[in-house]
Amino acid sequence: MAPDARLPPSEYLALWREAQDTRTRTRLGAIYYLIGWLLIWLFAATPGSLLLGLAGTLYFALIMALRWLHRLPVQENEANLHLWLDQHWRLLYLSSLGWGVSHAWTLYSPAFSAATPIATLGTLAFSTSMVFNFPMSKRRCMTALQLLYLPGLAVLGLQIHEQQAELVTLAVYLSYLLLVIDRSHREYHSRVALERQLIEQRERFARLSRTDPLTQLGNRLHFNSLFPAMVANGRRQRTPLSLVLLDIDLFKRINDQFGHASGDACLIVFAERMRQVFRRNSDVLLRLGGEEFGVLMPGTSLEQARELAERFRAELASQGFELNGQRLPLTTSLGVGSFNPARDDSAEAFFKRVDGALYRSKADGRNRLTLA
């Protein structure tokens, strides 16, 4: 399932689910129209019914094949799914109309009178199945029901003196189904809405599990799941991947002198400054733990990563950190590296190389950037 950018994820899910359910439920019903027609032809076999029987068999077999072969679009976006549903409902309409005309013919032609009970039972069965299997679109389902019933009701109306009981029975049952479709429609969409809520809740919990609650950056769990995949993709696609590791200098001093609440405020400011510099859509900003941060930069060369990281270091050092009206110094040590298949045989080796550069920055006096 590939969400369409023009629809909110929850609305796209409802559309995608409707198409999936329509596709799944259409397979079984298609063959029974053909079986029903073959039974009509068998029980009404007369010398003159051969051509009509073959024509009906070909019609229902063709519709069955089209319903089976009408696959969902490869690119499942909003426009394609709507188009697929429109096309598939036309096939359902043709099935309904074909059976409605078949029922009407058994009522009209004396040669097919022996098959009238089969045709009538088929109309009742197919209409009931339609209501409970295709309630996704109430308007379309009601149209299909009318195509099933109206041809037969029209013939019965012409023969009202002979077929009054059957006319009344079919009309009453049709009115019942038109009422039931409203309930089936509501129940179907209630189930979809519940499923949508569960998926949204699961995604929300997943986001929370991957997000640092203080800074709203990705956390270590997010990094551990994303970093190896990015390294593998960079190796496979032969595209650059850079990593920036950052450590707030002397952060413990802030906590000790001003308290942990001030330390938390410092972390929040630091994360916001990161967003201002590393703001490309491809940049992944992370808090790896404590005062340690990271930036994953796919498609970014070592020199590009160095320029952005150095800009961040310089701006942070010049701006400092304001706390209770007092401006305090705030600097960071950085390690910057780019994945090199010749030197890094694994994601872990790449990380260790950049982490080593970060520790050299700290050992050499802090507030500096070291290339790995």
Side-chain angles (χ1 to χ4, degrees):
M1 177 179 60
D4 192 290
R6 292 174 294 173
L7 280 180
S10 58
E11 293 184 22
Y12 177 81
L13 172 64
L15 176 63
W16 179 85
R17 176 64 184 273
E18 179 179 347
Q20 291 287 337
D21 286 343
T22 301
R23 169 66 179 157
T24 300
R25 300 176 185 189
T26 195
R27 295 175 179 175
L28 183 61
I31 193 172
Y32 281 98
Y33 284 97
L34 176 60
I35 293 174
W37 171 254
L38 292 175
L39 289 174
I40 290 176
W41 187 20
L42 175 65
F43 279 86
T46 61
S49 67
L50 178 61
L51 185 60
L52 182 60
L54 290 175
T57 301
L58 179 62
Y59 178 87
F60 286 110
L62 178 61
I63 297 300
M64 179 187 71
L66 290 174
R67 285 172 61 169
W68 282 359
L69 295 174
H70 189 216
R71 301 184 182 279
L72 289 167
V74 175
Q75 187 178 0
E76 294 181 347
N77 56 39
E78 178 190 1
N80 287 346
L81 288 176
H82 277 302
L83 177 62
W84 185 91
L85 284 167
D86 290 342
Q87 293 171 343
H88 203 82
W89 268 101
R90 292 190 189 103
L91 295 176
L92 294 175
Y93 290 157
L94 289 174
S95 297
S96 299
L97 179 61
W99 187 261
V101 171
S102 301
H103 185 198
W105 182 254
T106 64
L107 294 170
Y108 178 79
S109 172
F112 280 76
S113 60
T116 296
I118 297 174
T120 301
L121 287 173
T123 299
L124 298 175
F126 293 142
S127 59
T128 304
S129 175
M130 180 68 66
V131 166
F132 289 101
N133 283 310
F134 299 99
M136 306 84 165
S137 171
K138 182 168 65 174
R139 176 182 58 82
R140 286 168 165 167
C141 190
M142 292 175 69
T143 301
L145 288 178
Q146 293 175 57
L147 293 174
L148 277 167
Y149 275 88
L150 291 183
L153 290 175
V155 172
L156 290 173
L158 296 175
Q159 304 172 351
I160 189 168
H161 297 296
E162 298 85 4
Q163 305 284 355
Q164 186 174 9
E166 189 168 352
L167 173 63
V168 172
T169 300
L170 286 177
V172 169
Y173 193 70
L174 174 59
S175 65
Y176 163 74
L177 290 178
L178 292 175
L179 293 174
V180 170
I181 184 59
D182 186 64
R183 185 185 66 190
S184 295
H185 177 75
R186 290 198 309 270
E187 290 177 349
Y188 174 83
H189 285 282
S190 294
R191 290 195 301 271
V192 172
L194 178 60
E195 178 184 350
R196 188 171 63 209
Q197 291 173 6
L198 291 174
I199 290 176
E200 289 174 347
Q201 187 179 56
R202 185 179 64 191
E203 291 177 346
R204 186 162 57 250
F205 287 153
R207 284 196 302 272
L208 289 173
S209 70
R210 298 191 303 266
T211 303
D212 174 59
L214 180 65
T215 63
Q216 298 303 304
L217 302 181
N219 60 15
R220 188 68 185 231
L221 177 63
H222 187 40
F223 174 79
N224 289 343
S225 63
L226 191 60
F227 183 54
M230 281 191 168
V231 170
N233 184 69
R235 185 194 300 271
R236 183 173 57 254
Q237 301 291 337
R238 296 184 179 180
T239 55
L241 170 66
S242 292
L243 171 65
V244 179
L245 295 179
L246 312 92
D247 193 292
I248 300 177
D249 293 331
L250 304 174
F251 178 73
K252 186 175 183 298
R253 183 183 299 174
I254 297 175
N255 275 333
D256 293 343
Q257 291 184 2
F258 302 99
H260 288 281
S262 299
D264 289 347
C266 175
L267 293 172
I268 293 172
V269 168
F270 190 86
E272 185 57 36
R273 300 271 179 84
M274 288 178 64
R275 292 189 184 95
Q276 293 171 6
V277 175
F278 304 102
R279 59 174 180 262
R280 300 176 306 172
N281 290 335
S282 58
D283 294 340
V284 182
L285 280 59
L286 306 133
R287 182 187 177 195
L288 302 179
E291 66 273 25
E292 299 175 2
F293 293 79
V295 184
L296 281 168
M297 308 176 74
T300 304
S301 68
L302 179 62
E303 179 58 26
Q304 291 173 319
R306 188 200 65 78
E307 289 178 1
L308 282 173
E310 176 58 26
R311 173 188 160 192
F312 174 79
R313 186 204 62 77
E315 290 182 1
L316 185 71
S318 65
Q319 294 172 4
F321 167 51
E322 186 172 329
L323 179 63
N324 299 326
Q326 178 183 1
R327 185 167 296 278
L328 303 175
L330 181 61
T331 62
T332 182
S333 300
L334 304 96
V336 181
S338 186
F339 178 69
N340 184 344
R343 301 180 62 185
D344 307 315
D345 57 2
S346 66
E348 183 180 2
F350 176 34
F351 179 83
K352 286 183 177 179
R353 185 161 60 86
V354 181
D355 195 43
L358 168 62
Y359 275 91
R360 287 197 298 276
S361 290
K362 295 167 67 174
D364 291 343
R366 299 186 177 89
N367 189 24
R368 65 187 64 235
L369 182 153
T370 301
L371 292 178

